[in-house]
Amino acid sequence: MGTLGLGTRIARGGGYGLAGAAGVGAAGYGILKVEARMVRRVVGKPFETAPPDSDVYGAGLGDPIELGVLGDSLAAGLGVDHRRQTIGATLAHGISAIAGRPVRLTNAAVVGPESTDLPAQLEDLLARAPEPHVVVVVVGGNDVTHRKDVPEAVGHLAETITVLRSRGATVIVGTCPDLGTVEPLPQPLRWLVSRWSRDFAAAQTVAAVEAGARTVSLGDLIGPDFLAEPALMFSKDQFHPSAAGYARAASAILPSVASALGLWPESDRPLEVSRGEGVGPLHVAAVHAVAHPGTEVSAEAETEDTGGGLSRTTRTRRAVLRRLRRPDVGRLRRPQVTSATPPGASVTDEPQPG
């Protein structure tokens, strides 16, 4: 599986899985199993599959920006009725609006997989889009509910990122959401699932950043909205998000995707401590991000003097935390891009006068 460094150590020490359940006791574990069966009966299976959303979105000058999506039912869009309501399609529309270029979405995510299924999805993605510019991965919920081994799970995630990075793709990982926000879950199952979800998301963050990806914490991002308006934010299975819920999740990931493509106006602004931004040890950043949904974590880059007036950029075990704002896209002048402009090239967006 390869060396995972801090990712493995956090995963082993996070109190997740069988070790975390040991403290519940045999009687408590039996109650959890009964409650889980009750939840499955409530949730049921009102959806067989997600709407296929691989297509070209938006319009503009130049060749399409290649966007790939991997992951589980959240990445696939289970719970919505139309392909334009999925996370992938929402991101594609957003990127196109900012870049002034079409976006070709290739979604290889499927319903029901775990992290161990990522290699098969990666093979499918690269067969259909051999040179993706950016790939979004959202996975982890089934690893938590199926109580999978954390080092193995995050190992598959890290290997997937490594392959994509070797292809020149930028990778954005939406870490495991807090499943404790799911309304049908009773206590104490809700509390335990929330804890396991957060531990798993922290392990994902460390492993993904070590492998060269950026992560965005989903956490309980839509939890408050779910509690306030469950009929609006949940789909009819009371488990997966509705179109509004997916739009909220996509809005958290979009800034990082656009920033990776060099299209985000505030990517280079100074870090703001008052917003919870800063630089610190990766394992500390991972825990902070889990507790603050919408936080992006990336590796800190250092410049190393190699002698002779030359230098090289290297990644460290320190991480940068950012909370990228959402600009008013309608007030941005679209970048002047052509078919010769690579998606990763920096462009400047300026407010329109008035």
Side-chain angles (χ1 to χ4, degrees):
M1 187 61 64
T3 302
L4 298 178
L6 285 173
T8 300
R9 293 199 290 276
I10 284 184
R12 288 174 176 167
Y16 168 88
L18 295 180
V24 178
Y29 185 65
I31 293 174
L32 294 181
K33 292 179 67 176
V34 171
E35 289 185 343
R37 286 196 295 269
M38 292 170 58
V39 172
R40 282 194 291 270
R41 285 198 297 269
V42 171
V43 171
K45 292 185 64 177
F47 307 104
E48 291 299 326
T49 187
D53 59 354
S54 295
D55 202 349
V56 176
Y57 294 86
L61 301 175
D63 296 330
I65 295 172
E66 298 287 345
L67 168 65
V69 174
L70 302 173
D72 54 23
S73 57
L74 294 181
L78 187 67
V80 299
D81 299 318
H82 196 280
R83 64 185 180 88
R84 293 183 178 273
Q85 298 171 326
T86 66
I87 283 182
T90 303
L91 290 173
H93 278 299
I95 296 168
S96 177
I98 296 168
R101 292 174 61 175
V103 175
R104 179 182 290 112
L105 169 64
T106 304
N107 195 338
V110 296
V111 175
E114 302 159 358
S115 295
T116 54
D117 298 305
L118 286 175
Q121 291 187 25
L122 177 61
E123 182 178 357
D124 178 33
L125 172 66
L126 295 179
R128 292 191 280 157
E131 298 181 352
H133 297 124
V134 60
V135 177
V136 174
V137 184
V138 182
V139 72
N142 293 316
D143 294 282
V144 171
T145 58
H146 297 166
R147 311 291 300 284
K148 294 301 179 179
D149 180 70
V150 179
E152 180 183 7
V154 299
H156 282 287
L157 174 62
E159 289 180 353
T160 299
I161 294 167
T162 300
V163 172
L164 288 168
R165 295 289 294 150
S166 71
R167 295 289 188 106
T170 297
V171 184
I172 311 296
V173 177
T175 56
C176 182
D178 184 350
L179 299 182
T181 61
V182 176
E183 192 175 58
L185 293 180
Q187 297 289 13
L189 182 59
R190 178 180 294 190
W191 180 86
L192 284 171
V193 168
S194 177
R195 177 183 173 185
W196 296 337
S197 302
R198 289 169 178 262
D199 286 350
F200 191 79
Q204 284 181 310
T205 300
V206 176
V209 172
E210 285 181 341
R214 305 184 190 194
T215 65
V216 179
S217 170
L218 297 182
D220 62 350
L221 178 72
I222 47 185
D225 291 331
F226 274 12
L227 293 175
E229 298 183 276
L232 174 64
M233 304 302 290
F234 273 121
S235 64
K236 59 187 177 183
D237 68 359
Q238 302 182 62
F239 188 82
H240 293 91
S242 64
Y246 278 119
R248 181 69 184 275
S251 71
I253 299 173
L254 177 60
S256 293
V257 176
S259 177
L261 293 170
L263 301 171
W264 211 241
E266 65 155 19
S267 299
D268 298 325
R269 66 167 170 77
L271 298 176
E272 299 179 25
V273 177
S274 62
R275 289 175 53 79
E277 299 180 328
V279 179
L282 176 54
H283 65 285
V284 175
V287 175
H288 177 89
V290 169
H292 298 84
T295 300
E296 177 194 273
V297 181
S298 60
E300 180 189 30
E302 287 189 346
T303 301
E304 178 182 344
D305 186 359
T306 59
L310 301 176
S311 63
R312 65 180 179 182
T313 300
T314 59
R315 288 198 308 271
T316 72
R317 285 269 176 87
R318 290 172 62 78
V320 179
L321 291 96
R322 280 189 177 274
R323 295 182 64 83
L324 298 175
R325 298 184 184 88
R326 295 182 59 193
D328 182 355
V329 177
R331 290 183 57 81
L332 295 179
R333 188 178 67 195
R334 286 182 172 176
Q336 299 302 307
V337 295
T338 67
S339 58
T341 305
S346 295
V347 294
T348 301
D349 289 334
E350 299 178 357
Q352 295 177 346

